[in-house]
Amino acid sequence: MNIANIAPHVYRGLCNASAALALDADRFVVADDEISVLKVYRFDTPGLPLPGEDIDLHAFLGGKEEADLEGSALVGDTIYWIGSHGADGDGNPAPARRVLFATRRGGPGERLLVPLGQPCRRLLDDLAGTPVQQRYDLLGAASKAPKDPGGLSIEGLADTPEGHLLIGLRNPVPAEGVLLLVLENPAEVVDGKPARFGPHLSVDLGGQGIRSIERHGDGYFIVAGPPGKGKEFAVYRWSGLPEERPRKLDVPQLAGLNPEALFFDPDGWLHILSDDGKDQPGGVKCKHLPADQRQFRRIALALG
């Protein structure tokens, strides 16, 4: 597979880009794992987000604590978003991170995106009795720091041809491969009904975890990285069949980036966003910068 690229674009307004989707050929929406606000940008205009299009989720999610949003997926006309579901960095309970919710296109007089249904906060509880919970004790993993061995961290979300959601784990990574949970009824879940899980999948990424995953064509593209600390990242192409090992792609453009969000636009370009929370100009911490000076990078790849 030949890969051509254009130089990285720099966007401002947030720095911890963690999940994103194309809204159309001109615009994309981005989540930041440090704030519960979605921002909309134009592909052709690097810089600040579109004015008046921020989607503040604090009231909908019911609190000021960060939801640690890490993944997004489009199913029909609905965009689903998921939090990491893990503890905080010290292993303390972080219930605000246990969330799956949905947004829809806004109508006349509404924002571009508006919340849909209600947030779900019982995904892990609904895993009780499933083979994946019995085998890997993900509820127990959620009590550990997310980057510690055996800690829980969800970072990937993708749709399936059946309208299900694949929930990709960064951590833990068992010996047989990284885990993908299969949520079969996402629309019912954001309508307040219990989650129904199908058999989980294991994918061999060479010991790495999932940072982002998206379905494209007849398969999936995955950004993989260490389950804990580290900066060894890779992009994989996977058929979606559990018996087939993903194929690692040669993407030298990842050098120097912290890839956390991968998505395609309607023209078939692959976009990767870098979580630059620790790589701000001058080494200044993101939280110490005014919002209009916080930045993240985007690379665009044409796959031929």
PDB file of all heavy atoms in Angstrom, residues 85-123:
ATOM      1  N   HIS A  85     -13.386   4.875  30.943  1.00  0.00           N
ATOM      2  CA  HIS A  85     -13.936   3.914  31.900  1.00  0.00           C
ATOM      3  C   HIS A  85     -12.928   3.458  32.951  1.00  0.00           C
ATOM      4  O   HIS A  85     -13.218   2.518  33.709  1.00  0.00           O
ATOM      5  CB  HIS A  85     -14.535   2.693  31.197  1.00  0.00           C
ATOM      6  CG  HIS A  85     -15.903   2.934  30.642  1.00  0.00           C
ATOM      7  ND1 HIS A  85     -16.134   3.744  29.548  1.00  0.00           N
ATOM      8  CD2 HIS A  85     -17.122   2.486  31.036  1.00  0.00           C
ATOM      9  CE1 HIS A  85     -17.419   3.790  29.288  1.00  0.00           C
ATOM     10  NE2 HIS A  85     -18.046   3.043  30.180  1.00  0.00           N
ATOM     11  N   GLY A  86     -11.765   4.091  33.029  1.00  0.00           N
ATOM     12  CA  GLY A  86     -10.769   3.689  33.998  1.00  0.00           C
ATOM     13  C   GLY A  86     -10.764   4.567  35.236  1.00  0.00           C
ATOM     14  O   GLY A  86     -11.558   5.503  35.378  1.00  0.00           O
ATOM     15  N   ALA A  87      -9.839   4.255  36.135  1.00  0.00           N
ATOM     16  CA  ALA A  87      -9.608   5.079  37.319  1.00  0.00           C
ATOM     17  C   ALA A  87      -8.786   6.299  36.914  1.00  0.00           C
ATOM     18  O   ALA A  87      -8.410   6.463  35.747  1.00  0.00           O
ATOM     19  CB  ALA A  87      -8.878   4.265  38.379  1.00  0.00           C
ATOM     20  N   ASP A  88      -8.496   7.179  37.872  1.00  0.00           N
ATOM     21  CA  ASP A  88      -7.615   8.291  37.548  1.00  0.00           C
ATOM     22  C   ASP A  88      -6.160   7.808  37.573  1.00  0.00           C
ATOM     23  O   ASP A  88      -5.884   6.620  37.783  1.00  0.00           O
ATOM     24  CB  ASP A  88      -7.842   9.485  38.480  1.00  0.00           C
ATOM     25  CG  ASP A  88      -7.409   9.230  39.929  1.00  0.00           C
ATOM     26  OD1 ASP A  88      -6.686   8.240  40.209  1.00  0.00           O
ATOM     27  OD2 ASP A  88      -7.765  10.045  40.797  1.00  0.00           O
ATOM     28  N   GLY A  89      -5.234   8.715  37.335  1.00  0.00           N
ATOM     29  CA  GLY A  89      -3.838   8.328  37.220  1.00  0.00           C
ATOM     30  C   GLY A  89      -3.241   7.712  38.463  1.00  0.00           C
ATOM     31  O   GLY A  89      -2.210   7.042  38.398  1.00  0.00           O
ATOM     32  N   ASP A  90      -3.890   7.911  39.614  1.00  0.00           N
ATOM     33  CA  ASP A  90      -3.416   7.329  40.874  1.00  0.00           C
ATOM     34  C   ASP A  90      -4.191   6.081  41.278  1.00  0.00           C
ATOM     35  O   ASP A  90      -3.969   5.534  42.364  1.00  0.00           O
ATOM     36  CB  ASP A  90      -3.515   8.372  41.986  1.00  0.00           C
ATOM     37  CG  ASP A  90      -2.612   9.573  41.745  1.00  0.00           C
ATOM     38  OD1 ASP A  90      -1.464   9.366  41.301  1.00  0.00           O
ATOM     39  OD2 ASP A  90      -3.062  10.714  41.980  1.00  0.00           O
ATOM     40  N   GLY A  91      -5.106   5.654  40.416  1.00  0.00           N
ATOM     41  CA  GLY A  91      -5.899   4.475  40.742  1.00  0.00           C
ATOM     42  C   GLY A  91      -7.135   4.763  41.565  1.00  0.00           C
ATOM     43  O   GLY A  91      -7.790   3.831  42.043  1.00  0.00           O
ATOM     44  N   ASN A  92      -7.486   6.043  41.756  1.00  0.00           N
ATOM     45  CA  ASN A  92      -8.685   6.398  42.504  1.00  0.00           C
ATOM     46  C   ASN A  92      -9.921   6.307  41.604  1.00  0.00           C
ATOM     47  O   ASN A  92      -9.832   6.538  40.396  1.00  0.00           O
ATOM     48  CB  ASN A  92      -8.566   7.820  43.055  1.00  0.00           C
ATOM     49  CG  ASN A  92      -7.391   7.974  44.000  1.00  0.00           C
ATOM     50  OD1 ASN A  92      -7.183   7.146  44.888  1.00  0.00           O
ATOM     51  ND2 ASN A  92      -6.610   9.032  43.813  1.00  0.00           N
ATOM     52  N   PRO A  93     -11.078   5.997  42.173  1.00  0.00           N
ATOM     53  CA  PRO A  93     -12.290   5.899  41.356  1.00  0.00           C
ATOM     54  C   PRO A  93     -12.554   7.202  40.597  1.00  0.00           C
ATOM     55  O   PRO A  93     -12.372   8.302  41.126  1.00  0.00           O
ATOM     56  CB  PRO A  93     -13.386   5.626  42.392  1.00  0.00           C
ATOM     57  CG  PRO A  93     -12.672   4.993  43.545  1.00  0.00           C
ATOM     58  CD  PRO A  93     -11.329   5.658  43.596  1.00  0.00           C
ATOM     59  N   ALA A  94     -12.964   7.074  39.345  1.00  0.00           N
ATOM     60  CA  ALA A  94     -13.277   8.229  38.501  1.00  0.00           C
ATOM     61  C   ALA A  94     -14.578   7.941  37.760  1.00  0.00           C
ATOM     62  O   ALA A  94     -14.569   7.657  36.559  1.00  0.00           O
ATOM     63  CB  ALA A  94     -12.133   8.516  37.534  1.00  0.00           C
ATOM     64  N   PRO A  95     -15.711   7.976  38.475  1.00  0.00           N
ATOM     65  CA  PRO A  95     -16.986   7.564  37.863  1.00  0.00           C
ATOM     66  C   PRO A  95     -17.383   8.389  36.650  1.00  0.00           C
ATOM     67  O   PRO A  95     -18.118   7.887  35.787  1.00  0.00           O
ATOM     68  CB  PRO A  95     -17.998   7.727  39.009  1.00  0.00           C
ATOM     69  CG  PRO A  95     -17.332   8.621  40.003  1.00  0.00           C
ATOM     70  CD  PRO A  95     -15.884   8.357  39.890  1.00  0.00           C
ATOM     71  N   ALA A  96     -16.924   9.634  36.556  1.00  0.00           N
ATOM     72  CA  ALA A  96     -17.283  10.460  35.404  1.00  0.00           C
ATOM     73  C   ALA A  96     -16.747   9.886  34.097  1.00  0.00           C
ATOM     74  O   ALA A  96     -17.268  10.183  33.015  1.00  0.00           O
ATOM     75  CB  ALA A  96     -16.767  11.888  35.594  1.00  0.00           C
ATOM     76  N   ARG A  97     -15.709   9.059  34.181  1.00  0.00           N
ATOM     77  CA  ARG A  97     -15.103   8.481  32.973  1.00  0.00           C
ATOM     78  C   ARG A  97     -15.866   7.273  32.455  1.00  0.00           C
ATOM     79  O   ARG A  97     -15.602   6.810  31.348  1.00  0.00           O
ATOM     80  CB  ARG A  97     -13.649   8.094  33.261  1.00  0.00           C
ATOM     81  CG  ARG A  97     -12.793   9.272  33.711  1.00  0.00           C
ATOM     82  CD  ARG A  97     -11.349   8.873  33.928  1.00  0.00           C
ATOM     83  NE  ARG A  97     -10.539  10.020  34.345  1.00  0.00           N
ATOM     84  CZ  ARG A  97      -9.216  10.027  34.408  1.00  0.00           C
ATOM     85  NH1 ARG A  97      -8.548   8.935  34.088  1.00  0.00           N
ATOM     86  NH2 ARG A  97      -8.568  11.103  34.787  1.00  0.00           N
ATOM     87  N   ARG A  98     -16.782   6.769  33.247  1.00  0.00           N
ATOM     88  CA  ARG A  98     -17.575   5.606  32.828  1.00  0.00           C
ATOM     89  C   ARG A  98     -18.810   6.101  32.084  1.00  0.00           C
ATOM     90  O   ARG A  98     -19.914   6.163  32.629  1.00  0.00           O
ATOM     91  CB  ARG A  98     -17.974   4.762  34.027  1.00  0.00           C
ATOM     92  CG  ARG A  98     -16.801   4.096  34.712  1.00  0.00           C
ATOM     93  CD  ARG A  98     -17.276   3.073  35.729  1.00  0.00           C
ATOM     94  NE  ARG A  98     -16.179   2.444  36.444  1.00  0.00           N
ATOM     95  CZ  ARG A  98     -16.305   1.416  37.261  1.00  0.00           C
ATOM     96  NH1 ARG A  98     -17.512   0.895  37.475  1.00  0.00           N
ATOM     97  NH2 ARG A  98     -15.261   0.906  37.875  1.00  0.00           N
ATOM     98  N   VAL A  99     -18.637   6.428  30.821  1.00  0.00           N
ATOM     99  CA  VAL A  99     -19.755   7.002  30.076  1.00  0.00           C
ATOM    100  C   VAL A  99     -19.695   6.610  28.605  1.00  0.00           C
ATOM    101  O   VAL A  99     -18.616   6.524  28.009  1.00  0.00           O
ATOM    102  CB  VAL A  99     -19.773   8.546  30.223  1.00  0.00           C
ATOM    103  CG1 VAL A  99     -18.550   9.191  29.574  1.00  0.00           C
ATOM    104  CG2 VAL A  99     -21.056   9.136  29.662  1.00  0.00           C
ATOM    105  N   LEU A 100     -20.847   6.325  28.068  1.00  0.00           N
ATOM    106  CA  LEU A 100     -21.076   6.202  26.630  1.00  0.00           C
ATOM    107  C   LEU A 100     -22.288   7.059  26.330  1.00  0.00           C
ATOM    108  O   LEU A 100     -23.312   6.972  27.022  1.00  0.00           O
ATOM    109  CB  LEU A 100     -21.356   4.750  26.237  1.00  0.00           C
ATOM    110  CG  LEU A 100     -21.777   4.540  24.775  1.00  0.00           C
ATOM    111  CD1 LEU A 100     -20.580   4.616  23.842  1.00  0.00           C
ATOM    112  CD2 LEU A 100     -22.493   3.189  24.600  1.00  0.00           C
ATOM    113  N   PHE A 101     -22.200   7.917  25.308  1.00  0.00           N
ATOM    114  CA  PHE A 101     -23.338   8.760  24.969  1.00  0.00           C
ATOM    115  C   PHE A 101     -23.359   8.990  23.465  1.00  0.00           C
ATOM    116  O   PHE A 101     -22.454   8.570  22.735  1.00  0.00           O
ATOM    117  CB  PHE A 101     -23.300  10.094  25.729  1.00  0.00           C
ATOM    118  CG  PHE A 101     -22.172  11.008  25.334  1.00  0.00           C
ATOM    119  CD1 PHE A 101     -22.350  11.987  24.380  1.00  0.00           C
ATOM    120  CD2 PHE A 101     -20.924  10.890  25.934  1.00  0.00           C
ATOM    121  CE1 PHE A 101     -21.317  12.838  24.017  1.00  0.00           C
ATOM    122  CE2 PHE A 101     -19.881  11.734  25.587  1.00  0.00           C
ATOM    123  CZ  PHE A 101     -20.076  12.707  24.622  1.00  0.00           C
ATOM    124  N   ALA A 102     -24.413   9.658  23.007  1.00  0.00           N
ATOM    125  CA  ALA A 102     -24.586   9.861  21.574  1.00  0.00           C
ATOM    126  C   ALA A 102     -24.935  11.312  21.276  1.00  0.00           C
ATOM    127  O   ALA A 102     -25.488  12.034  22.117  1.00  0.00           O
ATOM    128  CB  ALA A 102     -25.685   8.944  21.042  1.00  0.00           C
ATOM    129  N   THR A 103     -24.602  11.722  20.058  1.00  0.00           N
ATOM    130  CA  THR A 103     -25.018  13.020  19.541  1.00  0.00           C
ATOM    131  C   THR A 103     -25.680  12.812  18.181  1.00  0.00           C
ATOM    132  O   THR A 103     -25.462  11.809  17.509  1.00  0.00           O
ATOM    133  CB  THR A 103     -23.825  13.981  19.382  1.00  0.00           C
ATOM    134  OG1 THR A 103     -22.821  13.369  18.554  1.00  0.00           O
ATOM    135  CG2 THR A 103     -23.214  14.331  20.732  1.00  0.00           C
ATOM    136  N   ARG A 104     -26.475  13.800  17.772  1.00  0.00           N
ATOM    137  CA  ARG A 104     -27.129  13.793  16.469  1.00  0.00           C
ATOM    138  C   ARG A 104     -26.939  15.155  15.816  1.00  0.00           C
ATOM    139  O   ARG A 104     -26.537  16.115  16.458  1.00  0.00           O
ATOM    140  CB  ARG A 104     -28.623  13.504  16.613  1.00  0.00           C
ATOM    141  CG  ARG A 104     -29.364  14.556  17.441  1.00  0.00           C
ATOM    142  CD  ARG A 104     -30.872  14.424  17.333  1.00  0.00           C
ATOM    143  NE  ARG A 104     -31.557  15.375  18.203  1.00  0.00           N
ATOM    144  CZ  ARG A 104     -31.789  16.654  17.891  1.00  0.00           C
ATOM    145  NH1 ARG A 104     -31.379  17.138  16.727  1.00  0.00           N
ATOM    146  NH2 ARG A 104     -32.431  17.447  18.736  1.00  0.00           N
ATOM    147  N   ARG A 105     -27.246  15.213  14.542  1.00  0.00           N
ATOM    148  CA  ARG A 105     -27.217  16.483  13.826  1.00  0.00           C
ATOM    149  C   ARG A 105     -28.284  17.415  14.391  1.00  0.00           C
ATOM    150  O   ARG A 105     -29.412  17.006  14.641  1.00  0.00           O
ATOM    151  CB  ARG A 105     -27.492  16.259  12.340  1.00  0.00           C
ATOM    152  CG  ARG A 105     -26.319  15.679  11.581  1.00  0.00           C
ATOM    153  CD  ARG A 105     -25.340  16.771  11.204  1.00  0.00           C
ATOM    154  NE  ARG A 105     -24.352  16.283  10.247  1.00  0.00           N
ATOM    155  CZ  ARG A 105     -23.497  17.068   9.627  1.00  0.00           C
ATOM    156  NH1 ARG A 105     -23.500  18.364   9.868  1.00  0.00           N
ATOM    157  NH2 ARG A 105     -22.621  16.558   8.788  1.00  0.00           N
ATOM    158  N   GLY A 106     -27.918  18.680  14.582  1.00  0.00           N
ATOM    159  CA  GLY A 106     -28.880  19.650  15.069  1.00  0.00           C
ATOM    160  C   GLY A 106     -29.832  20.105  13.981  1.00  0.00           C
ATOM    161  O   GLY A 106     -29.476  20.141  12.794  1.00  0.00           O
ATOM    162  N   GLY A 107     -31.040  20.455  14.371  1.00  0.00           N
ATOM    163  CA  GLY A 107     -32.037  20.976  13.437  1.00  0.00           C
ATOM    164  C   GLY A 107     -31.981  22.486  13.366  1.00  0.00           C
ATOM    165  O   GLY A 107     -31.051  23.128  13.884  1.00  0.00           O
ATOM    166  N   PRO A 108     -32.971  23.114  12.735  1.00  0.00           N
ATOM    167  CA  PRO A 108     -33.004  24.576  12.637  1.00  0.00           C
ATOM    168  C   PRO A 108     -32.945  25.233  14.009  1.00  0.00           C
ATOM    169  O   PRO A 108     -33.668  24.850  14.933  1.00  0.00           O
ATOM    170  CB  PRO A 108     -34.350  24.842  11.956  1.00  0.00           C
ATOM    171  CG  PRO A 108     -34.641  23.586  11.189  1.00  0.00           C
ATOM    172  CD  PRO A 108     -34.100  22.476  12.035  1.00  0.00           C
ATOM    173  N   GLY A 109     -32.056  26.200  14.153  1.00  0.00           N
ATOM    174  CA  GLY A 109     -31.916  26.920  15.417  1.00  0.00           C
ATOM    175  C   GLY A 109     -31.082  26.202  16.454  1.00  0.00           C
ATOM    176  O   GLY A 109     -30.903  26.708  17.566  1.00  0.00           O
ATOM    177  N   GLU A 110     -30.540  24.992  16.129  1.00  0.00           N
ATOM    178  CA  GLU A 110     -29.718  24.231  17.065  1.00  0.00           C
ATOM    179  C   GLU A 110     -28.255  24.275  16.635  1.00  0.00           C
ATOM    180  O   GLU A 110     -27.918  24.682  15.522  1.00  0.00           O
ATOM    181  CB  GLU A 110     -30.185  22.774  17.124  1.00  0.00           C
ATOM    182  CG  GLU A 110     -31.562  22.571  17.696  1.00  0.00           C
ATOM    183  CD  GLU A 110     -31.940  21.108  17.755  1.00  0.00           C
ATOM    184  OE1 GLU A 110     -31.680  20.382  16.774  1.00  0.00           O
ATOM    185  OE2 GLU A 110     -32.500  20.683  18.784  1.00  0.00           O
ATOM    186  N   ARG A 111     -27.374  23.831  17.550  1.00  0.00           N
ATOM    187  CA  ARG A 111     -25.972  23.682  17.204  1.00  0.00           C
ATOM    188  C   ARG A 111     -25.812  22.581  16.154  1.00  0.00           C
ATOM    189  O   ARG A 111     -26.715  21.793  15.918  1.00  0.00           O
ATOM    190  CB  ARG A 111     -25.150  23.342  18.448  1.00  0.00           C
ATOM    191  CG  ARG A 111     -25.125  24.441  19.512  1.00  0.00           C
ATOM    192  CD  ARG A 111     -24.298  25.614  19.045  1.00  0.00           C
ATOM    193  NE  ARG A 111     -24.312  26.709  20.011  1.00  0.00           N
ATOM    194  CZ  ARG A 111     -23.439  26.846  20.991  1.00  0.00           C
ATOM    195  NH1 ARG A 111     -22.489  25.943  21.146  1.00  0.00           N
ATOM    196  NH2 ARG A 111     -23.507  27.873  21.805  1.00  0.00           N
ATOM    197  N   LEU A 112     -24.637  22.525  15.576  1.00  0.00           N
ATOM    198  CA  LEU A 112     -24.363  21.532  14.553  1.00  0.00           C
ATOM    199  C   LEU A 112     -24.578  20.116  15.077  1.00  0.00           C
ATOM    200  O   LEU A 112     -25.095  19.242  14.375  1.00  0.00           O
ATOM    201  CB  LEU A 112     -22.921  21.700  14.053  1.00  0.00           C
ATOM    202  CG  LEU A 112     -22.506  20.880  12.846  1.00  0.00           C
ATOM    203  CD1 LEU A 112     -23.369  21.215  11.635  1.00  0.00           C
ATOM    204  CD2 LEU A 112     -21.039  21.127  12.526  1.00  0.00           C
ATOM    205  N   LEU A 113     -24.173  19.873  16.328  1.00  0.00           N
ATOM    206  CA  LEU A 113     -24.401  18.601  16.997  1.00  0.00           C
ATOM    207  C   LEU A 113     -25.098  18.852  18.322  1.00  0.00           C
ATOM    208  O   LEU A 113     -24.776  19.820  19.023  1.00  0.00           O
ATOM    209  CB  LEU A 113     -23.087  17.865  17.248  1.00  0.00           C
ATOM    210  CG  LEU A 113     -22.338  17.285  16.050  1.00  0.00           C
ATOM    211  CD1 LEU A 113     -21.021  16.669  16.519  1.00  0.00           C
ATOM    212  CD2 LEU A 113     -23.168  16.254  15.320  1.00  0.00           C
ATOM    213  N   VAL A 114     -26.023  17.980  18.672  1.00  0.00           N
ATOM    214  CA  VAL A 114     -26.710  18.089  19.961  1.00  0.00           C
ATOM    215  C   VAL A 114     -26.764  16.699  20.592  1.00  0.00           C
ATOM    216  O   VAL A 114     -26.782  15.678  19.888  1.00  0.00           O
ATOM    217  CB  VAL A 114     -28.136  18.666  19.808  1.00  0.00           C
ATOM    218  CG1 VAL A 114     -28.088  20.098  19.322  1.00  0.00           C
ATOM    219  CG2 VAL A 114     -28.972  17.818  18.869  1.00  0.00           C
ATOM    220  N   PRO A 115     -26.783  16.623  21.932  1.00  0.00           N
ATOM    221  CA  PRO A 115     -26.852  15.318  22.601  1.00  0.00           C
ATOM    222  C   PRO A 115     -28.138  14.577  22.264  1.00  0.00           C
ATOM    223  O   PRO A 115     -29.186  15.178  21.995  1.00  0.00           O
ATOM    224  CB  PRO A 115     -26.790  15.690  24.089  1.00  0.00           C
ATOM    225  CG  PRO A 115     -26.128  17.030  24.123  1.00  0.00           C
ATOM    226  CD  PRO A 115     -26.604  17.723  22.883  1.00  0.00           C
ATOM    227  N   LEU A 116     -28.039  13.257  22.289  1.00  0.00           N
ATOM    228  CA  LEU A 116     -29.166  12.392  21.967  1.00  0.00           C
ATOM    229  C   LEU A 116     -29.365  11.391  23.093  1.00  0.00           C
ATOM    230  O   LEU A 116     -28.398  10.798  23.591  1.00  0.00           O
ATOM    231  CB  LEU A 116     -28.890  11.641  20.660  1.00  0.00           C
ATOM    232  CG  LEU A 116     -29.887  10.561  20.228  1.00  0.00           C
ATOM    233  CD1 LEU A 116     -31.229  11.192  19.863  1.00  0.00           C
ATOM    234  CD2 LEU A 116     -29.347   9.765  19.051  1.00  0.00           C
ATOM    235  N   GLY A 117     -30.606  11.195  23.511  1.00  0.00           N
ATOM    236  CA  GLY A 117     -30.891  10.196  24.533  1.00  0.00           C
ATOM    237  C   GLY A 117     -30.322  10.588  25.879  1.00  0.00           C
ATOM    238  O   GLY A 117     -30.402  11.748  26.301  1.00  0.00           O
ATOM    239  N   GLN A 118     -29.684   9.648  26.558  1.00  0.00           N
ATOM    240  CA  GLN A 118     -29.113   9.896  27.878  1.00  0.00           C
ATOM    241  C   GLN A 118     -27.778   9.181  28.003  1.00  0.00           C
ATOM    242  O   GLN A 118     -27.548   8.160  27.343  1.00  0.00           O
ATOM    243  CB  GLN A 118     -30.067   9.420  28.974  1.00  0.00           C
ATOM    244  CG  GLN A 118     -30.345   7.934  28.947  1.00  0.00           C
ATOM    245  CD  GLN A 118     -31.475   7.530  29.872  1.00  0.00           C
ATOM    246  OE1 GLN A 118     -32.613   7.970  29.725  1.00  0.00           O
ATOM    247  NE2 GLN A 118     -31.160   6.686  30.849  1.00  0.00           N
ATOM    248  N   PRO A 119     -26.872   9.710  28.824  1.00  0.00           N
ATOM    249  CA  PRO A 119     -25.579   9.036  29.005  1.00  0.00           C
ATOM    250  C   PRO A 119     -25.767   7.675  29.675  1.00  0.00           C
ATOM    251  O   PRO A 119     -26.577   7.521  30.586  1.00  0.00           O
ATOM    252  CB  PRO A 119     -24.804   9.997  29.917  1.00  0.00           C
ATOM    253  CG  PRO A 119     -25.528  11.299  29.835  1.00  0.00           C
ATOM    254  CD  PRO A 119     -26.963  10.956  29.599  1.00  0.00           C
ATOM    255  N   CYS A 120     -25.004   6.700  29.210  1.00  0.00           N
ATOM    256  CA  CYS A 120     -24.986   5.379  29.839  1.00  0.00           C
ATOM    257  C   CYS A 120     -23.757   5.283  30.730  1.00  0.00           C
ATOM    258  O   CYS A 120     -22.645   5.543  30.279  1.00  0.00           O
ATOM    259  CB  CYS A 120     -24.948   4.284  28.776  1.00  0.00           C
ATOM    260  SG  CYS A 120     -24.586   2.644  29.439  1.00  0.00           S
ATOM    261  N   ARG A 121     -23.957   4.864  31.984  1.00  0.00           N
ATOM    262  CA  ARG A 121     -22.853   4.754  32.934  1.00  0.00           C
ATOM    263  C   ARG A 121     -22.742   3.348  33.528  1.00  0.00           C
ATOM    264  O   ARG A 121     -22.110   3.168  34.558  1.00  0.00           O
ATOM    265  CB  ARG A 121     -23.014   5.793  34.041  1.00  0.00           C
ATOM    266  CG  ARG A 121     -22.961   7.221  33.503  1.00  0.00           C
ATOM    267  CD  ARG A 121     -22.779   8.237  34.607  1.00  0.00           C
ATOM    268  NE  ARG A 121     -22.625   9.583  34.086  1.00  0.00           N
ATOM    269  CZ  ARG A 121     -21.496  10.102  33.615  1.00  0.00           C
ATOM    270  NH1 ARG A 121     -20.401   9.354  33.620  1.00  0.00           N
ATOM    271  NH2 ARG A 121     -21.443  11.328  33.145  1.00  0.00           N
ATOM    272  N   ARG A 122     -23.323   2.372  32.867  1.00  0.00           N
ATOM    273  CA  ARG A 122     -23.326   1.022  33.446  1.00  0.00           C
ATOM    274  C   ARG A 122     -22.767  -0.029  32.496  1.00  0.00           C
ATOM    275  O   ARG A 122     -23.041  -1.226  32.642  1.00  0.00           O
ATOM    276  CB  ARG A 122     -24.741   0.637  33.857  1.00  0.00           C
ATOM    277  CG  ARG A 122     -25.817   0.819  32.800  1.00  0.00           C
ATOM    278  CD  ARG A 122     -27.124   0.270  33.260  1.00  0.00           C
ATOM    279  NE  ARG A 122     -27.064  -1.178  33.422  1.00  0.00           N
ATOM    280  CZ  ARG A 122     -27.986  -1.890  34.074  1.00  0.00           C
ATOM    281  NH1 ARG A 122     -29.014  -1.287  34.641  1.00  0.00           N
ATOM    282  NH2 ARG A 122     -27.873  -3.211  34.166  1.00  0.00           N
ATOM    283  N   LEU A 123     -21.966   0.385  31.531  1.00  0.00           N
ATOM    284  CA  LEU A 123     -21.418  -0.586  30.588  1.00  0.00           C
ATOM    285  C   LEU A 123     -20.646  -1.699  31.303  1.00  0.00           C
ATOM    286  O   LEU A 123     -20.818  -2.884  31.016  1.00  0.00           O
ATOM    287  CB  LEU A 123     -20.493   0.095  29.579  1.00  0.00           C
ATOM    288  CG  LEU A 123     -21.109   0.756  28.352  1.00  0.00           C
ATOM    289  CD1 LEU A 123     -20.003   1.230  27.426  1.00  0.00           C
ATOM    290  CD2 LEU A 123     -22.053  -0.178  27.625  1.00  0.00           C
TER     291      LEU A 123
END
